[in-house]
Each structure stands twice: as C-alpha cells, then as structure tokens.
Amino acid sequence: MRPTILKSALVGSLMLNMLLVGVIVGGALRGHQEQAARQDAGIRPIGRLRAAADQLTPENRRAYRQTMLRAWREIAPLARISQKSRREAAVAFSASSFNPAAVASAMARSREADLEVRRRLETALIAFSATLPPEERIRFGQGLASSGPFRRTSPIQPSDKIAVGPDGALSNPR
C-alpha cells in the first residue's frame, strides 16, 4: 500500500472517530442541559435511564436517582477531560504542521476518559441493581432493555421473559 493511501485512511478514520465521540458526548451533555432546564421549569425530566426506573417502588426510584446523580458528579471531571482532549485533537488536526502523534495522543486520552465514564456509570448501575429484590430487579432489567442501555431495536418478545427459580437463579426458559 502506498503511504499516501495509508495516511488518507488514517486521517479518515480519526475524523470518523472524532465525529462519533463528539456526537455521543454532545448528545449526553445536551440531554443534561435540557434536563436541568426542565427541572427549572418544574417539568419532570425523563431520560432513558430514568424511564427504566419507572417500574421501581418510589423509595427505590429515589435511591436510584441519588445513586446515578452521585456517579455523574464523580465522573464529570472525566467527561471534561474527554471534551478537552477532543478539542486538543481538533486543534492539532487543523494545525498547519500536522502531527499525527499529537492527534493520536489526544484522541487516545479522549477515548480512555469516555470508556472510564461508561465503566463507572455501569458499575454504579450494577451496584444499585444488586440492592433490589429479585422481582423488582427483573422489572428494572426489563425497563433497561426497553429504554436503557440494554434496549433493542425490536420490542421484547414473550419468549424473552426471564424466569426466577426457587433458588433465586435467573433463567431464560426458551
């Protein structure tokens, strides 16, 4: 392969990655801003993760919101690092003297921060789920499957139901 083709492929790949990360984080930040505006206006915000908790008891719904808010406050600095790294990558990418190592380094920092944000959110979600009684955890899992991170493009089928055995173990009777 010629170096120019390889260089063009690398640049195209980096641009696509920057676009995808920007869309994901931008969407998350915009949703957070809209949620704050709705709260200021007295409108109850409904996000995907919040909608997944609709099947929980009011006490557990409150505990869930507090858990996720606490997790978000802890990871907000990482989200800012990711955003700053993406901006650095964009500046390095547009510089008159293109430095692929600088762009790659900034993109790697952004990606690592994004993955850590996701890992911490998922860890908080799992830790909270472990505190729920089995029946409520199953309903919560079904809510996550329909509107949260486990959502599918097709609706849940009756054959997708999860059964709880007498020992509390989960099984899919299919």
Side-chain angles (χ1 to χ4, degrees):
M1 232 182 189
R2 295 187 316 200
T4 55
I5 294 173
L6 193 57
K7 194 178 209 181
S8 296
L10 174 64
V11 169
S13 175
L14 287 172
M15 290 175 67
L16 180 61
N17 283 329
M18 286 175 43
L19 174 71
L20 291 174
V21 169
V23 166
I24 291 168
V25 173
L29 291 174
R30 179 164 172 109
H32 182 68
Q33 291 170 343
E34 287 177 0
Q35 188 174 10
R38 285 183 186 140
Q39 283 177 332
D40 291 343
I43 301 170
R44 181 176 175 249
I46 298 181
R48 286 186 176 152
L49 285 175
R50 180 170 285 209
D54 283 347
Q55 301 299 317
L56 298 176
T57 62
E59 310 85 54
N60 284 333
R61 209 173 309 135
R62 263 191 304 282
Y64 173 71
R65 273 188 243 128
Q66 290 171 351
T67 298
M68 297 312 284
L69 183 60
R70 195 170 33 255
W72 178 250
R73 286 181 180 148
E74 290 173 8
I75 63 170
L78 285 170
R80 284 191 290 275
I81 288 170
S82 174
Q83 200 173 37
K84 181 181 177 218
S85 297
R86 273 194 313 285
R87 281 194 301 267
E88 290 171 1
V91 168
F93 201 86
S94 302
S96 58
S97 59
F98 182 68
N99 182 350
V103 174
S105 175
M107 290 299 293
R109 284 192 310 274
S110 176
R111 184 174 41 256
E112 288 168 12
D114 286 342
L115 289 173
E116 184 63 16
V117 164
R118 181 177 173 178
R119 186 190 67 76
R120 288 187 187 186
L121 277 175
E122 289 171 350
T123 299
L125 183 68
I126 292 166
F128 171 77
S129 299
T131 66
L132 296 173
E135 301 80 24
E136 200 166 0
R137 188 180 65 248
I138 290 168
R139 286 194 313 271
F140 184 52
Q142 290 168 343
L144 290 170
S146 64
S147 65
F150 306 141
R151 72 184 174 280
R152 307 176 192 187
T153 54
S154 62
I156 295 176
Q157 302 299 317
S159 61
D160 293 336
K161 299 288 184 199
I162 303 296
V164 180
D167 61 349
L170 300 177
S171 66
N172 188 337
R174 231 199 304 189

